């Protein structure tokens, strides 16, 4: 069997609400693995910490405890729970991609540039990057009249397609997906499923949260179930 791209061991994170003297556990003692050419799905009720696990791996959140072992192409392992910000940014450039439910950055750039930017940051030339962006936008059913428009005014589904295209363009080794099809129409959802299946077959390892259980059945090779945590109140 291939060795894991990602091994998460006993990952925990909690938030302290100082006014209420309460600790809100967002995820606790999570163990999981992601392999090349496979998709691991995280399931569980709302609030059980699915998004928090992804954010800890991408280091949007600093993990509280546990290990997040990422293995690069050369077989070198980095613990993302301990890695420097510099190392994390380096890995985000080539190795680790994250497609969230929402397009967080809404720059005044045309959609085509928003999508091609990750390739430009990696040193690709503008024309190659724009061609790749155009291919993806076409594949995801984004009408050509929108390509030169900044995505700030797009509908939820259109923004999500820009978000997906931006996350997929650089073909990371590890792809984190947080409800990537939640606001898409059925036709575009099918295209996304096809695209994810193709990318998976090329060797990408994926860790995903899906809105619909049907997508877990269709795409997941492994399923990790998170258990809701109780809020601990201190006296
Ligand atoms: N930045 C944050 N500040 C405070 N609490 C948070 C934060 N992020 C997540 N939480 C809390 O952690 C728990 C898990 O949230 P989340 O990971 O978003 O769950 P899920 O994605 O499974 O719905 C929730 O109780 C949520 O309120
Ligand atoms: Mg979530």
């Amino acid at each position: 069997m291939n060795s894991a791209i990602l091994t998460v061991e006993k990952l925990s994170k909690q938030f302290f609400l100082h006014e209420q003297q309460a600790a809100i556990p967002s995820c606790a003692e999570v163990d999981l693995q992601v392999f090349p050419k496979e998709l691991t799905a995280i399931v569980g009720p709302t609030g059980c910490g699915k998004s928090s696990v992804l954010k800890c791996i991408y280091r949007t959140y600093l993990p509280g405890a546990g290990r997040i072992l990422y293995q690069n192409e050369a077989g070198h392992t980095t613990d993302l729970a301990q890695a420097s910000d510099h190392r994390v940014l380096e890995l985000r450039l080539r190795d680790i991609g994250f497609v969230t439910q929402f397009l967080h950055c809404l720059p005044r750039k045309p959609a085509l540039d928003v999508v091609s930017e990750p390739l430009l940051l990696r040193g690709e030339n503008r024309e190659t990057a724009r061609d790749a962006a155009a291919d993806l936008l076409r594949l995801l059913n984004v009408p050509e009249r929108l390509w030169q428009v900044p995505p700030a005014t797009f509908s939820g589904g259109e923004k999500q397609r820009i978000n997906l295209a931006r996350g997929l363009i650089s073909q990371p080794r590890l792809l984190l997906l947080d409800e990537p099809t939640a606001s898409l129409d059925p036709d575009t959802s099918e295209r996304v499923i096809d695209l994810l299946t193709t990318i998976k077959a090329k060797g990408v390892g994926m860790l995903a949260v899906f809105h619909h259980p049907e997508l877990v059945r269709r795409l997941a090779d492994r399923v990790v179930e998170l258990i809701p945590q109780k809020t601990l109140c201190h006296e």
Side-chain angles (χ1 to χ4, degrees):
M1 186 163 44
N2 284 323
S3 59
I5 300 180
L6 184 77
T7 302
V8 172
E9 295 172 352
K10 303 257 170 287
L11 171 63
S12 301
K13 169 77 183 167
Q14 47 182 321
F15 293 94
F16 293 99
L17 298 183
H18 293 287
E19 272 180 23
Q20 284 132 41
Q21 286 289 296
I24 299 179
S26 72
C27 61
E29 309 253 316
V30 176
D31 293 313
L32 61 84
Q33 283 195 301
V34 180
F35 291 87
K37 294 193 174 199
E38 283 197 7
L39 186 146
T40 300
I42 307 178
V43 301
T46 303
C48 72
K50 303 181 295 297
S51 297
S52 296
V53 169
L54 296 178
K55 286 175 184 166
C56 284
I57 295 167
Y58 200 62
R59 274 281 292 272
T60 311
Y61 290 166
L62 197 60
R67 301 206 299 168
I68 303 174
L69 305 174
Y70 171 74
Q71 194 182 52
N72 76 3
E73 208 161 6
H76 177 77
T77 299
T78 302
D79 184 353
L80 296 169
Q82 305 286 339
S84 67
D85 289 347
H86 177 77
R87 176 77 183 128
V88 170
L89 290 175
E90 211 172 56
L91 288 170
R92 285 183 183 183
L93 209 55
R94 287 178 183 278
D95 287 48
I96 305 175
F98 192 7
V99 176
T100 57
Q101 201 175 342
F102 309 103
L103 186 64
H104 287 293
C105 68
L106 295 172
R108 293 191 174 278
K109 280 185 194 168
L112 194 65
D113 290 351
V114 172
V115 175
S116 40
E117 190 176 50
L119 286 186
L120 296 177
L121 290 173
R122 277 173 54 162
E124 288 290 351
N125 73 51
R126 188 164 292 274
E127 207 175 327
T128 312
R130 285 191 151 214
D131 285 351
D135 285 348
L136 267 171
L137 290 176
R138 215 170 280 123
L139 202 72
L140 291 170
N141 261 342
V142 178
E144 212 160 328
R145 65 182 161 80
L146 295 178
W147 294 7
Q148 295 304 331
V149 180
T153 56
F154 287 10
S155 73
E158 286 162 354
K159 279 183 191 157
Q160 194 159 47
R161 281 177 248 189
I162 301 303
N163 220 12
L164 266 161
R166 188 182 154 96
L168 299 178
I169 197 164
S170 54
Q171 310 213 346
R173 293 184 69 241
L174 174 66
L175 183 59
L176 310 170
L177 299 155
D178 197 353
E179 307 198 7
T181 59
S183 46
L184 298 182
D185 55 85
D187 179 47
T188 310
S189 280
E190 281 304 318
R191 283 170 180 247
V192 171
I193 293 166
D194 284 349
L195 195 59
L196 293 179
T197 309
T198 309
I199 292 172
K200 198 166 77 150
K202 282 186 185 167
V204 175
M206 301 185 190
L207 182 62
V209 177
F210 291 117
H211 197 58
H212 300 292
E214 193 209 331
L215 292 191
V216 176
R217 277 195 297 278
R218 287 176 63 182
L219 284 167
D221 301 279
R222 296 157 196 270
V223 178
V224 176
E225 189 166 356
L226 300 193
I227 298 152
Q229 301 298 310
K230 287 199 180 72
T231 301
L232 302 174
C233 291
H234 301 289
E235 288 303 313

